[in-house]
Amino acid sequence: MERELLLLGLLRREDMHGYQLHEFIERNMTSCTDLKKPTAYHLLEKMTERGWLQPSPAQAGNRPARRVYRITPAGEAAFQALLRENVATHYPAYFTGNIGLAYLDALPAPEALARLRERHTSLAAELARLTAVPPHAGSLQWLIDHQRHHLRAELDWLETLIQHLTAVE
Amino acid sequence: MERELLLLGLLRREDMHGYQLHEFIERNMTSCTDLKKPTAYHLLEKMTERGWLQPSPAQAGNRPARRVYRITPAGEAAFQALLRENVATHYPAYFTGNIGLAYLDALPAPEALARLRERHTSLAAELARLTAVPPHAGSLQWLIDHQRHHLRAELDWLETLIQHLTAVE
DNA sequence: TTTTCCATGTAACTCGTTACATGATTTC
DNA sequence: GAAATCATGTAACGAGTTACATGGAAAA
C-alpha cells in the first residue's frame, strides 16, 4: 500500500517508465525503502488494471520499447486518499533485528560488548553515508531527514547500552 | 529468523507449549513484535523437524492435551549462532509508514498540520502506554527500553516537523 | 446458557523475493 | 569479444496472515 503511494507520488510529478522509477528509488531512496524491480513492475500493472495509471508505448533511440505511465484522475484520487491516511497514522515499527537484545544476558559480558561494538561500527557507517547524501528538492528531504534522525537515535541508544554494560563489567 | 531466535530464547528459560509461548509474547512483547498464533505453531513444528526442539505430550487437569517443547543441544547451538549474529548486525529499518512524508507538499499546509497532529496523538498514546508497563526481569527490559527510546525519538522528530511547518505557514 | 478461555491446527490467500528469460546496445 | 546497461517481464518459491475447524472446560 505504501509502495503504491510511493509510485503514484513519483508519477504525479512526471511520467515515467518502470525501469526509470525503480532506478530513481534505488538511487535516491535506498535509505527509506527497498522496492525490487519485479515488485515495481507488478504494482504498476495492478494499478493500471485498476485504472489508476495509463501506460503508453514509447521509444528512445534504438533502446528497448518502454511503457511510460501517466497517472489518471482516478489515480490522483487514490493518491490523495493514501497520502492522507499515511500522514495521519502512526504505524508502529517492529525492530525484529533487535530481538537479540532480549537475550543479551545469554552472552558473556565481554563478548556481548564486542558484538555490540560491531553493530555500532556498521550503524555509524550507515549514518555517515546518509549524512553525506546531497539534499533533495521538496518534501522528499523530510523522508531522508527522518531516517537520519532515526539512525542518530539508534546510535545514541547503542552508546548508552554499551556504556551501561561496560560499567557493570 | 528473528522469530526463531525469539522462541528459542523463551524455551531456553523454560519448557513451554505453543499457546503459552504465544500468550507470553502477546502479553509482554506487543510493543516489539507481533507473532501470530499460526506462525508460532508453524515455526515450532519446523524447528522440531530440524531437531532443535523436542516436544512431549502433557496434560493439565481436564484441559486439552499440550505439546510441551524443550530445547535440544542442537537448538541451543542454533540459538547461540542466531543470537551472536543478531547482536552484532544492524538491520536497517524501513519506515514504510512514512513514505507519505515525501509528498507532504501535495497537501495544503493547514491540512498537513492537522493530519500530523493526529499522528502525534496516537504516537504519544502509544509511548504513554509503553512507559506505564511494569519493568521486566533480565535483558528483556533492554528490548522494551529500546522501543521506548525509539518512540521518544519519533515523537521528538514529529514535533520538530510540526513546528517547522507551523513557522512556514 | 451463552460466551470466553484453553489448545491445536489446516487451507487459502497475499505479498514480496529470487532466479531466470529475452534481446538489443553501448562500453571496456 | 566480453561485460555491463537498458527494458520488460515470468515462474517458482517462501514467509506470514486470515479465516476457519474442533472440542472440552470454566466463567458470566
Side-chain angles (χ1 to χ4, degrees), chain A residues 21-64:
Chain A
L21 281 160
H22 175 255
E23 206 180 47
F24 181 90
I25 292 168
E26 242 198 3
R27 290 237 172 103
N28 303 289
M29 310 177 76
T30 348
S31 59
C32 319
T33 273
D34 179 31
L35 186 69
K36 307 288 184 196
K37 234 186 286 183
T39 310
Y41 281 119
H42 180 237
L43 287 174
L44 289 169
E45 218 173 71
K46 262 188 15 184
M47 292 196 286
T48 304
E49 278 167 25
R50 274 185 222 143
W52 294 3
L53 301 179
Q54 196 191 336
S56 57
Q59 202 88 30
N62 288 350
R63 290 266 153 228

Side-chain angles (χ1 to χ4, degrees), chain A residues 60-108:
Chain A
N62 288 350
R63 290 266 153 228
R66 299 167 173 172
R67 297 189 77 192
V68 174
Y69 292 93
R70 160 166 299 166
I71 192 166
T72 66
E76 172 68 20
F79 170 80
Q80 293 287 337
L82 287 173
L83 178 58
R84 273 152 229 264
E85 218 245 301
N86 185 283
V87 171
T89 314
H90 167 252
Y91 304 88
Y94 299 115
F95 295 84
T96 50
N98 283 0
I99 294 287
L101 299 179
Y103 308 125
L104 259 190
D105 48 13
L107 251 41

Side-chain angles (χ1 to χ4, degrees), chain B residues 44-103:
Chain B
L44 290 169
E45 217 172 74
K46 262 188 15 186
M47 292 196 287
T48 303
E49 279 167 27
R50 276 186 220 141
W52 294 3
L53 301 180
Q54 196 191 336
S56 58
Q59 202 90 30
N62 288 349
R63 294 262 154 231
R66 300 166 173 173
R67 297 189 77 193
V68 174
Y69 292 93
R70 162 165 298 167
I71 191 166
T72 66
E76 173 68 20
F79 171 80
Q80 293 287 338
L82 287 174
L83 178 58
R84 272 151 228 266
E85 218 245 300
N86 184 282
V87 171
T89 315
H90 168 252
Y91 305 88
Y94 299 116
F95 295 84
T96 49
N98 281 2
I99 294 287
L101 299 180
Y103 309 125

